[in-house]
Amino acid sequence: MHETLWIMRHGQAAPGRPDAERVLTEEGRREASAMADWLTQRLADEGLATPRVLASPYRRAQQTAMLMADRLGVAVETLPIITPDDPVGPILDWLIDTQEQTPGPLLLVSHMPLVGVLTAQLTDGPRAPGLGFPTAAIARLESDVFAAGCARFIGLDAPRRR
């Protein structure tokens, strides 16, 4: 049986330092809210299970994840290994371990370039270049095992721009 992995880039963030403390702009909150509505509807329409929501510890990812989790009726879990500069290898190991121990759909909320590189490596293998993700975009992947090159890319959805 295949599992679903949703990979999301945080909403638009304000400039600032330190990077870990940057917050969502008003537009970023609108984007994340729109995607929370979209995902909630998608899950209902397709009869899909509600994913666990895991986020980078960076403030903008936490804010995005909270908007998603509130709409989905779940808690946010912090996953320290999905910050913008983290390597993909430990995340792939974590995904395999998690899939074995607690199977079920996941929503990872993180940053560029990580979300693009992770999506590409899961679908095309370890040498794949990263994909571009607009802010608050969500990629859907399915796989029996989330290892490099083993996932099927279902699609990338982003909030509608005004």
Side-chain angles (χ1 to χ4, degrees), residues 27-45:
E27 176 63 17
R29 285 189 287 281
R30 279 193 293 272
E31 291 173 337
S33 290
M35 292 310 289
D37 290 341
W38 172 86
L39 183 57
T40 301
Q41 189 62 52
R42 169 66 55 96
L43 296 173
D45 289 350

Side-chain angles (χ1 to χ4, degrees), residues 27-110:
E27 176 63 17
R29 285 189 287 281
R30 279 193 293 272
E31 291 173 337
S33 290
M35 292 310 289
D37 290 341
W38 172 86
L39 183 57
T40 301
Q41 189 62 52
R42 169 66 55 96
L43 296 173
D45 289 350
E46 295 185 26
L48 299 171
T50 301
R52 287 173 55 197
V53 177
L54 298 110
S56 157
Y58 284 29
R59 184 168 289 171
R60 61 194 179 272
Q62 288 284 315
Q63 290 174 314
T64 300
M66 287 299 289
L67 289 164
M68 300 300 291
D70 286 348
R71 198 71 43 86
L72 296 169
V74 298
V76 173
E77 302 172 51
T78 300
L79 186 59
I81 62 171
I82 59 172
T83 68
D85 299 319
D86 282 317
V88 172
I91 302 165
L92 295 173
D93 293 341
W94 180 88
L95 283 168
I96 290 169
D97 290 345
T98 298
Q99 219 174 352
E100 290 174 358
Q101 296 170 13
T102 53
L106 301 171
L107 169 63
L108 300 182
V109 181
S110 188

Side-chain angles (χ1 to χ4, degrees), residues 8 16 18 35 41 53 57 61 65-66 94 101 112 123 126 130 137 143 146 153 157 159:
M8 180 178 193
M35 292 310 289
Q41 189 62 52
V53 177
M66 287 299 289
W94 180 88
Q101 296 170 13
M112 283 297 290
T123 56
S143 186
F146 285 110
F153 181 79
D157 290 279

